[in-house]
């Protein structure tokens, strides 16, 4: 039998003899390793794994930026063509935009998330079709654009991976299209995977050279070999200057072009939150390591007589260290395996629910790199924090330990106290981080959204332009739908908005205010733009502050009107009556004035962090779109209306699905999903950290009391009161906690700065959070010390003096 196998067998026997120690150690390791593995798997899949593109570092998103209002947009059709032809740094360029695709491939139509893209789109991304081809330049023409590229997932799900799909006809938006290619799954600009693509064929209006501000499309580009992103930005700065000179507006502006790495575009917003979580679980692991080291030190102390006997019988120091290290590594390996099971369940749950609405969750899993990470931290945990106890225990004082009745040595007490101080410091950092996040979340959900979400059903309808090409047809369809829904039992009111609140649709644009001239070097008025139907404000519970709502008489051929929110009214007409004032979306020659007929309350469109925009509404009949979000105020459960509404829509148009069906309460809760999940996880990690720190303090103080029984007995025999003994023990415990808290405050300040981008209306050094958490940790330390202290008070002086 090999020495290593002997060590393993002996370790397993010793674990069976100490089930309490073994279970505690395994649970400590499993929690630390499991939490770290779960969060690392998300970080690895979302942040570390390269995008599924060819040479993703060469892929960039290009768009317009307005620095004074911190706004990034897409580009206009005219701008796209100019940048494509005049740039010196891009090998391939492509434009793309969202596309609402209704697929008729079964008994009931299906709404798909799609895109329209120019011919170089897949080449710019470096995506090679698994079947067929992408688009050609000839297909970027109206009438010749009836071709499709499918995602591999859609091809498998709806067409059974049929290899003869190429050339087949598929009905989308009521028109037959020919399938020309299938591309692999795995890439998306956002949280919704794209299922289908169609060529982007420009209309004359979309490439109007007089409309550089019509920023309706996104632009992706592939850098030439050897060209850096910084070089691309310099070239775009050159193009910015050319465009400003060409437009000759006679007014300075802070408008410009940006180039952003594709990786940053996809995951840039979620990176800070994930790094905060990774740091938090790292702290939990360190605390678990410190606790494990303390457990091993305590176990080694209890086994000092055994070790002394083995040493007396000829065991070398190295042999003892190897045995003890084998035990610690074996403990870590078994606990790490249990942690892997915990991580597997946690990752599966996170991928299924995606609580923070993260992109790239399809890439998250326990792959080889995650398993390597788990193996690494498990081995490090076993070796690093088993080494010090092993070395400490392998230096026995033979003469003292072999005395009959010897209770053990006090060596190692300083190391154990140092570990506890570290635990308290790390726990304080985590607790303050959790406290800041919880306060931020409380501030977030306390914001008044400006509407009533209770008992409101929401869903979307997207009409195919081929079937409803005119504004009159679009308005007629939605008018009939609104009126039919309003007549249904259980419906209080109904209205529509092209972009409902909490739908992550950012409809923004610049506008004019009659009589208002922007300051030099500043952009003109800008804000959220929405077109809504009559009944919308009533259905959403949005208060009308002045004037009136839109009415059925606000039609395309009638007086052009608008409703503004109170933020816009107060900004441009302070102390004045805004009713009858005019705003417009046109140019100097034709401002396109709209008369303000009402002022409504401000509405939170997506989240409190971007809730400072002014808001302007137009009647849907005067600015119609092919898509509309409907809000239905119900008397009871709004979801109970879904089957009847779905049937009603199919009655009006058998090829028309509804989609994104959710209660407004759910949408509102979803807007706070990221801060809620961060608060929950940080709070959970902090609770574990505080518990481990309390266990550590309790363990050290229990050990200290046990080792100082004789000293305490002498004190009591000499007349010391039990109160003085209590104060002595409490003092030692609170000193450790105090040092840990003092050290942890510095770490908490650093963590607060890192978390600042995740906080809402909460200071990174919030004194209330710091004070409450520090005081709470002192109370925890006091309670953890109190039990050993009370035990010390009950020491019998006679028994204590006989112990030696």
């Amino acid at each position: 039998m090999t020495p290593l196998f002997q060590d393993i067998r002996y370790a397993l026997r010793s674990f069976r003899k100490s089930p309490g120690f073994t279970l505690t150690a395994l649970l400590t390791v499993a929690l630390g390793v499991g939490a770290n593995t779960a969060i690392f798997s998300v970080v690895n899949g979302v942040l570390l794994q390269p995008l599924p593109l060819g040479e993703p570092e060469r892929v960039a998103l290009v768009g317009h930026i307005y620095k004074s209002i911190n706004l990034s947009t897409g580009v206009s059709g005219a701008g796209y063509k100019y940048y494509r032809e005049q740039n010196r740094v891009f090998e391939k360029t492509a434009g793309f935009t969202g596309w609402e695709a209704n697929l008729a491939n079964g008994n009931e139509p299906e709404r798909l998330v799609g895109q329209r893209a120019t011919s170089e789109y897949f080449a710019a991304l470096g995506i090679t079709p698994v079947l067929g081809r992408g688009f050609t330049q000839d297909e970027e023409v109206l009438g010749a654009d009836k071709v499709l590229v499918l995602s591999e997932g859609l091809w498998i799900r709806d067409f059974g991976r049929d290899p003869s799909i190429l050339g087949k006809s598929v009905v989308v938006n009521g028109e037959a299209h020919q399938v020309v290619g299938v591309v692999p799954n795995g890439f998306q600009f956002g949280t919704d995977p794209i299922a289908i693509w169609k060529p982007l064929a420009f209309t004359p209006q979309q490439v109007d050279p007089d409309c550089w501000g019509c920023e309706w499309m996104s632009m992706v580009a592939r850098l030439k070999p050897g060209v850096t992103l910084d070089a691309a930005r310099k070239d775009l700065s050159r193009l910015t200057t050319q465009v400003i000179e060409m437009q000759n507006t006679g007014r300075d502006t802070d408008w410009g072009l940006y180039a952003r790495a594709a990786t940053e575009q996809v995951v840039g917003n979620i990176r800070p939150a994930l790094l905060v979580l990774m740091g938090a679980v790292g702290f939990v692991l360190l605390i678990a390591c410190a606790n494990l080291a303390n457990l091993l030190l305590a176990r080694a102390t209890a086994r000092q007589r055994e070790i002394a006997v083995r040493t007396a019988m000829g065991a070398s120091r190295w042999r003892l260290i190897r045995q003890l290290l084998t035990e610690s590594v074996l403990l870590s390996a078994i606990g790490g395996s249990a942690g892997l099971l915990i991580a597997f369940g946690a990752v599966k749950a996170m991928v299924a629910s995606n609580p923070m609405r993260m992109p790239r969750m399809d890439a998250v899993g326990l792959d080889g790199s995650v398993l390597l990470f788990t193996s690494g931290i498990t081995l490090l945990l076993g070796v690093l924090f088993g080494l010090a106890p092993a070395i400490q225990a392998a230096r026995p004082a033979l003469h003292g330990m072999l005395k009959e009745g010897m209770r053990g040595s006090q060596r190692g007490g300083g190391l154990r106290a140092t570990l506890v101080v570290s635990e308290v410091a790390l726990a304080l950092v985590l607790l303050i981080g959790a406290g800041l996040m919880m306060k931020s979340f409380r501030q977030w959900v306390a914001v008044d959204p400006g509407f009533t979400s209770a008992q409101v059903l929401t869903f979307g309808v997207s009409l195919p332009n081929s079937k409803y090409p005119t504004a009159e047809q679009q308005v007629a369809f939605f008018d009939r739908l609104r009126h039919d829904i309003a007549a249904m039992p259980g419906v209080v009111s109904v209205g529509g908005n092209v972009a409902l609140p909490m739908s992550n649709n950012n409809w923004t644009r610049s506008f004019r205010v009659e009589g208002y001239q922007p300051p030099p070097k500043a952009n003109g008025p800008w804000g959220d733009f929405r077109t809504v139907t009559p009944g919308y404000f009533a259905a959403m519970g949005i208060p009308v502050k002045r004037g009136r709502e839109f009415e059925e008489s606000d039609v395309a051929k009638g007086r052009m009107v608008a409703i503004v929110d109170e933020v816009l009214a107060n900004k441009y007409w302070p102390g004045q009556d805004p009713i009858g004032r005019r705003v417009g979306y046109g140019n100097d020659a034709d401002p396109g004035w709209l008369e303000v007929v009402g002022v409504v309350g401000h509405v939170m469109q997506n989240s409190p962090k971007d809730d400072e925009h002014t808001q302007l509404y137009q009647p849907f009949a005067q600015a119609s779109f092919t898509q509309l979000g409907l809000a239905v105020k119900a008397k009871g459960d709004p979801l109970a209306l879904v089957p009847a509404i779905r049937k009603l829509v199919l009655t009006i148009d058998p090829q028309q699905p509804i989609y994104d069906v959710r209660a407004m309460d759910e949408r509102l809760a979803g807007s706070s999903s990221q801060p809620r999940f961060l608060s929950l996880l940080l709070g959970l990690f902090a609770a574990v950290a505080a518990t481990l720190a309390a266990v550590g303090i309790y363990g050290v103080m229990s050990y200290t009391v046990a080792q100082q029984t004789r000293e305490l007995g002498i004190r009591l025999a000499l007349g010391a009161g039990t109160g003085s003994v209590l104060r002595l023990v409490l003092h030692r415990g609170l000193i450790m906690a105090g040092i840990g808290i003092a050290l942890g405050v510095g770490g908490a300040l650093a963590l607060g700065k890192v978390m600042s981008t995740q906080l809402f209306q909460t200071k990174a050094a919030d004194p209330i959070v710091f004070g409450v958490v520090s005081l709470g940790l002192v109370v925890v330390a006091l309670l953890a010390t109190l039990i050993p202290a009370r035990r010390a008070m009950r020491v019998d002086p006679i028994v204590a003096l006989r112990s030696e």
Side-chain angles (χ1 to χ4, degrees), residues 475-509:
V475 171
F477 177 93
F478 288 117
D479 278 350
R480 178 182 173 184
L481 179 59
R482 284 192 301 110
H483 294 144
D484 288 353
I485 292 176
M488 292 173 55
V491 172
V492 177
S493 56
V494 59
N497 184 338
V498 292
L500 290 168
M502 310 299 137
S503 61
N504 288 321
N505 287 322
N506 296 313
W507 288 55
T508 59
R509 65 180 298 177

Side-chain angles (χ1 to χ4, degrees), residues 545-546 564-578 599-602 614:
K545 303 288 187 177
R546 305 192 69 165
V564 301
D565 78 329
E566 54 191 340
V567 175
L568 190 152
N570 293 334
K571 182 174 182 178
Y572 296 107
W573 305 295
Q576 304 175 52
D577 185 1
V599 178
V600 296
H602 181 76
T614 60

Side-chain angles (χ1 to χ4, degrees), residues 8 83 181 184 266 307 322 324 397 440 507 615 700-701 704 768 773:
I8 293 174
Y83 309 142
V266 174
I307 292 170
R322 191 184 73 185
L324 295 173
S440 173
W507 288 55
Q615 295 165 1
V700 167
M701 296 315 301
T704 302
I768 296 178
V773 169

Side-chain angles (χ1 to χ4, degrees), residues 517-597:
Q517 182 63 32
K521 296 186 179 181
N523 293 291
W526 165 88
D528 291 323
F529 161 75
R530 300 289 189 272
T531 67
V532 303
T533 70
Y536 170 73
F537 297 112
M540 290 292 293
I542 300 172
V544 178
K545 303 288 187 177
R546 305 192 69 165
R548 64 173 176 86
E549 287 195 59
F550 292 134
E551 300 172 347
E552 300 292 346
S553 58
D554 295 320
V555 295
K557 295 182 179 179
R559 181 178 51 146
M560 304 299 286
V561 296
I563 290 175
V564 301
D565 78 329
E566 54 191 340
V567 175
L568 190 152
N570 293 334
K571 182 174 182 178
Y572 296 107
W573 305 295
Q576 304 175 52
D577 185 1
I579 305 301
R581 305 280 182 169
R582 297 200 298 178
V583 294
Y585 292 114
N587 50 37
D588 291 334
D590 182 16
W593 293 120
L594 312 171
E595 182 182 341
V596 176
V597 296

Side-chain angles (χ1 to χ4, degrees), residues 15-181:
F15 294 160
R16 286 197 298 270
K17 291 179 180 178
S18 306
F21 159 79
T22 303
L23 184 61
T24 303
L26 290 179
L27 185 60
T28 300
V29 174
L31 287 175
V33 171
N36 275 268
T37 301
I39 299 301
F40 177 76
S41 66
V42 177
V43 171
N44 178 62
V46 175
L47 299 184
L48 302 183
Q49 291 296 323
L51 297 178
L53 307 175
E55 299 180 281
E57 69 279 359
R58 292 176 56 195
V59 181
L61 273 293
V62 178
H64 294 170
I65 185 169
Y66 299 85
K67 296 179 182 178
S68 66
I69 53 178
N70 192 30
L71 174 67
S72 298
T73 70
V75 300
S76 64
Y80 161 70
K81 292 199 169 187
Y82 185 81
Y83 309 142
R84 182 187 63 189
E85 296 164 0
Q86 299 297 322
N87 85 87
R88 302 169 183 170
V89 291
F90 300 133
E91 182 179 75
K92 302 284 185 182
T93 57
F96 67 97
T97 186
W99 177 46
E100 308 295 334
N102 296 334
L103 174 66
N105 191 44
N107 295 328
E108 189 172 307
E110 177 187 11
R111 188 260 186 180
L112 301 175
V113 179
Q115 283 182 344
R116 301 190 68 161
T118 58
S119 56
E120 291 188 331
Y121 180 73
F122 298 112
L125 293 175
I127 294 176
T128 302
V130 296
L131 197 68
R133 61 173 176 84
F135 303 130
T136 65
Q137 197 167 357
D138 294 340
E139 291 164 344
E140 293 181 11
V141 179
L142 291 173
D145 60 344
K146 302 299 187 291
V147 296
L148 299 173
V149 170
L150 310 180
S151 71
E152 190 174 11
L154 179 63
W155 176 46
I156 294 171
R157 189 194 69 194
D158 283 20
F159 301 96
R161 201 189 286 270
D162 180 6
S164 63
I165 188 68
L166 298 181
K168 285 190 174 181
S169 180
V170 175
V171 177
V172 177
N173 290 344
E175 293 185 302
H177 292 71
Q178 185 184 58
V179 177
V180 297

Side-chain angles (χ1 to χ4, degrees), residues 403-696:
K403 283 183 178 180
E404 186 69 29
M406 174 65 182
R407 293 182 59 88
S409 168
Q410 294 187 34
R411 291 185 300 116
L415 178 58
R416 298 189 70 188
T418 301
L419 290 172
V420 169
V421 167
S422 302
E423 289 184 54
V424 172
L426 293 171
L428 182 78
V429 173
L430 267 184
L431 284 165
I432 287 179
L436 291 173
M437 202 66 231
M438 289 176 181
K439 181 175 181 180
S440 173
F441 175 66
R442 188 179 65 183
Q443 297 288 97
W444 185 294
V445 297
V447 173
D448 180 7
F451 58 84
T452 303
S453 62
Q455 297 177 296
V456 176
L457 174 71
T458 64
F459 61 92
V461 177
S462 179
L463 303 177
N465 196 63
S466 58
K467 192 171 183 179
Y468 301 88
T470 66
E472 290 79 7
Q473 291 172 310
Q474 297 159 13
V475 171
F477 177 93
F478 288 117
D479 278 350
R480 178 182 173 184
L481 179 59
R482 284 192 301 110
H483 294 144
D484 288 353
I485 292 176
M488 292 173 55
V491 172
V492 177
S493 56
V494 59
N497 184 338
V498 292
L500 290 168
M502 310 299 137
S503 61
N504 288 321
N505 287 322
N506 296 313
W507 288 55
T508 59
R509 65 180 298 177
S510 59
F511 56 91
R512 294 169 177 266
V513 175
E514 189 175 28
Y516 174 79
Q517 182 63 32
K521 296 186 179 181
N523 293 291
W526 165 88
D528 291 323
F529 161 75
R530 300 289 189 272
T531 67
V532 303
T533 70
Y536 170 73
F537 297 112
M540 290 292 293
I542 300 172
V544 178
K545 303 288 187 177
R546 305 192 69 165
R548 64 173 176 86
E549 287 195 59
F550 292 134
E551 300 172 347
E552 300 292 346
S553 58
D554 295 320
V555 295
K557 295 182 179 179
R559 181 178 51 146
M560 304 299 286
V561 296
I563 290 175
V564 301
D565 78 329
E566 54 191 340
V567 175
L568 190 152
N570 293 334
K571 182 174 182 178
Y572 296 107
W573 305 295
Q576 304 175 52
D577 185 1
I579 305 301
R581 305 280 182 169
R582 297 200 298 178
V583 294
Y585 292 114
N587 50 37
D588 291 334
D590 182 16
W593 293 120
L594 312 171
E595 182 182 341
V596 176
V597 296
V599 178
V600 296
H602 181 76
V603 173
M604 184 172 68
Q605 297 295 345
N606 288 307
S607 79
K609 281 194 172 183
D610 57 3
D611 194 33
E612 298 178 354
H613 305 166
T614 60
Q615 295 165 1
L616 194 154
Y617 301 87
Q618 268 191 277
F620 184 80
Q622 296 181 356
S624 66
F625 291 85
T626 56
Q627 69 181 53
L628 189 67
L630 277 298
V632 182
K633 179 71 173 180
K635 293 179 181 178
D637 179 12
L639 294 177
L641 298 172
V642 173
I645 290 176
R646 196 183 300 275
K647 182 178 180 180
L648 174 62
V649 173
L650 292 176
T651 301
I652 299 173
D653 186 341
Q655 294 183 329
Q656 185 59 55
I658 64 174
Y659 60 91
D660 196 21
V661 181
R662 286 188 287 171
M664 182 52 77
D665 279 338
E666 181 187 348
R667 289 186 185 274
L668 186 58
S671 70
S672 59
S673 59
Q674 181 171 318
R676 178 186 293 109
F677 190 64
L678 273 176
S679 299
L680 177 64
L681 278 190
L682 286 177
L684 178 62
F685 296 154
V688 171
T691 302
L692 291 176
V695 169

